[in-house]
Amino acid sequence: MDIYNNPTFNMACRQFDLVADRLQIPDDERGRLKFPKRSMTVALPIHCDDGSTKVFAGYRVQHHLTLGPTKGGLRYHPDVTIGEVAALAMWMSWKCALTGLPYGGAKGGITCDPRKLSITELERLTRRYTQEMIPFIGEKVDVMAPDMGTNEQTMAWIMDTYSVHTGYTVPGIVTGKPVAIGGSLGRREATGRGVGYLINRALDTTGLAANNCRAVVQGFGNVGSVTAFSLAKYGVKVVAVSDMFGGIYNPKGLDLAAVEKYQEEKKSLAGFPGAEAVTNEQLLLLPCEILVPAALERQITEANAGKIQCRILAEAANGPTTPEADVILDQRPEIFIIPDILCNAGGVIVSYFEWVQDLQSFFWTESEVMDKLFRIMETAFAQTLNMSRKQKVTMRTAALSLGIKRVQEAKKLRGLFP
Ligand code: GLU
């Protein structure tokens, strides 16, 4: 399976192998669990606004189909590769299994810089991608959602393109779409609110009081910004946030509403008044109680894991901590880690609710959505913490073990065809 060879995919495999060793999963079951079931690469030619034609690469990886349709986001980013997408699909599998959702993992991506494309170019690219993916997706086959660089509008275009193809409206083909066309109340905020909820639980567990805590958030996109606001609501002081260009730091606390307004206007945090500029690398090392990587993979590495200063590391991003960093963090019991597949699961949980609502054409109130979200997060948190304590393993090992074991069991029960 050399096509997936890439640092992020290798990292996901390493995590899997460590847990598989611990669970004593026999060698002949490992390949089936680890490698993606199906993947698709497409060339996406579009007409650009200047009259030229450009071709982009698009991918979709479906990791396993054992428990139901596959589920996962669609990422627009210049560094997207099939290996990265495969790693993200694998993490989606363990995330869905950990939280008890009837899905396998999937992920998609287009290698592009969405900031450099106009809205009409983005629409053409998204519609072309959807068209190319039609043989591969379906509301009972593979259901997409937003990820980095995509949003509700992207999902609306996918739903429209797919529905035009089928001849009737199929809202269940995507989640994270606007509420006006079958989206769920609370979906946009779900990931960040889930992160906030779990941080609050981690504060209880570690005996810290929210109003004595400072938080540093790397990434101020949908997940990072909602997390920051949600922490502020719990009484935490958010002292630094960042975007892809760098961060802003004020040890006295940032005015988040002003930061959000500034970012909307300037499309960047750089130059935000009353705060010190820091790089994304410096930001991770700032003194704080709560550190939230909410951007790309592989941010906490062997180079900085010994130097981070937090008490709670809440992994809102997928794969922000490398296995080499984990070895160092294992020697730092003062840091409580909420591992990614647990920490950011709120998004896919409410995606699941959205899909169920679409299939039944019966919609819930926001408080029903939030109540059900927090119940599932609470159960997953309690099960992970319980295993971590009882078996004296890290929170990451516990979360991955629970997820991987459930998929392994399902595969065993279904057997191998023919
Ligand atoms: N992209 C999000 C994730 O990584 C959400 C996926 C979904 O809702 O299907 O979990």
Side-chain angles (χ1 to χ4, degrees):
M1 297 270 171
D2 278 355
I3 56 162
Y4 303 116
N5 189 9
N6 148 288
T8 307
F9 186 69
N10 297 343
M11 165 181 159
C13 289
R14 175 97 192 108
Q15 288 179 340
F16 172 85
D17 287 333
L18 288 169
V19 171
D21 287 346
R22 207 189 72 82
L23 296 174
Q24 297 181 332
I25 296 178
D27 273 348
D28 58 0
E29 285 181 44
R30 290 192 189 194
R32 252 182 108 196
L33 277 164
K34 183 155 69 175
F35 293 111
K37 180 73 187 164
R38 307 198 281 222
S39 64
M40 173 102 135
T41 300
V42 289
L44 305 167
I46 60 154
H47 291 300
C48 297
D49 293 348
D50 64 5
S52 65
T53 301
K54 263 204 192 111
V55 182
F56 295 86
Y59 309 101
R60 185 77 183 165
V61 174
Q62 298 170 355
H63 182 248
H64 80 82
L65 306 155
T66 311
L67 285 163
T70 50
K71 188 84 195 76
L74 173 64
R75 174 173 293 198
Y76 290 179
H77 192 277
D79 299 333
V80 162
T81 62
I82 190 146
E84 183 198 35
V85 172
L88 292 161
M90 198 194 301
W91 286 324
M92 283 307 300
S93 286
W94 315 143
K95 192 187 304 186
C96 292
L98 171 65
T99 49
L101 309 184
Y103 293 134
K107 204 70 154 205
I110 301 181
T111 315
C112 68
D113 186 346
R115 302 170 66 105
K116 295 197 177 129
L117 294 169
S118 71
I119 187 89
T120 48
E121 288 169 337
L122 277 172
E123 176 171 357
R124 286 196 286 274
L125 186 58
T126 303
R127 288 187 184 277
R128 184 68 195 226
Y129 175 83
T130 311
Q131 176 63 42
E132 299 295 344
M133 286 293 158
I134 278 173
F136 206 54
I137 58 174
E139 59 176 357
K140 299 278 175 67
V141 182
D142 181 14
V143 180
M144 296 192 197
D147 196 86
M148 203 175 283
T150 57
N151 55 26
E152 292 182 2
Q153 179 60 72
T154 323
M155 297 304 116
W157 291 326
I158 296 177
M159 175 192 146
D160 183 68
T161 308
Y162 189 82
S163 299
V164 167
H165 170 82
T166 51
Y168 51 90
T169 297
V170 188
I173 187 64
V174 285
T175 59
K177 57 193 168 293
V179 173
I181 54 169
S184 178
L185 293 168
R187 172 61 186 88
R188 191 189 304 159
E189 302 80 13
T191 313
R193 283 200 197 157
V195 175
Y197 178 85
L198 291 183
I199 291 173
N200 205 34
R201 293 291 286 109
L203 289 172
D204 289 345
T205 309
T206 49
L208 293 165
N211 48 15
N212 288 332
C213 287
R214 297 157 297 174
V216 167
V217 183
Q218 185 195 45
F220 204 64
N222 179 41
V223 177
S225 64
V226 177
T227 301
F229 277 104
S230 141
L231 288 174
K233 252 196 199 141
Y234 287 116
V236 172
K237 187 157 67 178
V238 179
V239 293
V241 298
S242 69
D243 60 20
M244 62 199 288
F245 307 109
I248 51 173
Y249 173 49
N250 183 342
K252 294 204 183 88
L254 294 165
D255 175 351
L256 293 174
V259 173
E260 192 178 46
K261 195 160 168 265
Y262 186 88
Q263 192 203 35
E264 249 172 55
E265 280 166 15
K266 311 263 180 197
K267 308 283 171 228
S268 158
L269 298 172
F272 179 74
E276 185 189 324
V278 286
T279 65
N280 262 308
E281 296 76 53
Q282 290 167 333
L283 177 116
L284 295 172
L285 305 181
L286 290 172
C288 63
E289 284 68 41
I290 302 164
L291 178 60
V292 187
L296 281 167
E297 306 88 63
R298 298 166 58 243
Q299 298 299 302
I300 317 245
T301 63
E302 57 194 329
N304 59 11
K307 299 186 217 152
I308 61 173
Q309 303 200 46
C310 60
R311 295 288 312 281
I312 293 171
L313 175 60
E315 298 181 342
N318 291 308
T321 308
T322 66
E324 296 75 28
D326 271 336
V327 174
I328 297 166
L329 294 173
D330 282 357
Q331 307 304 315
R332 300 191 60 189
E334 75 278 14
I335 300 180
F336 183 91
I337 300 179
I338 313 173
D340 53 358
I341 60 166
L342 171 65
C343 192
N344 66 36
V348 72
I349 293 169
V350 177
S351 274
Y352 165 59
F353 298 158
E354 180 173 330
W355 181 72
V356 168
Q357 292 171 75
D358 288 338
L359 292 182
Q360 302 187 339
S361 304
F362 181 70
F363 291 88
W364 312 347
T365 63
E366 186 168 346
S367 63
E368 277 177 275
V369 170
M370 285 302 147
D371 181 53
K372 287 186 172 67
L373 165 67
F374 294 145
R375 273 172 209 247
I376 293 185
M377 297 219 72
E378 180 59 40
T379 305
F381 180 79
Q383 287 174 345
T384 307
L385 186 63
N386 196 21
M387 179 189 250
S388 157
R389 284 180 170 164
K390 274 208 176 124
Q391 304 193 6
K392 304 209 183 325
V393 292
T394 63
M395 285 290 280
R396 182 177 330 282
T397 302
L400 285 168
S401 299
L402 286 164
I404 291 171
K405 226 178 154 38
R406 285 175 190 161
V407 180
Q408 182 201 14
E409 206 177 309
K411 284 201 183 279
K412 225 185 204 152
L413 285 166
R414 284 190 57 168
L416 192 57
F417 178 85

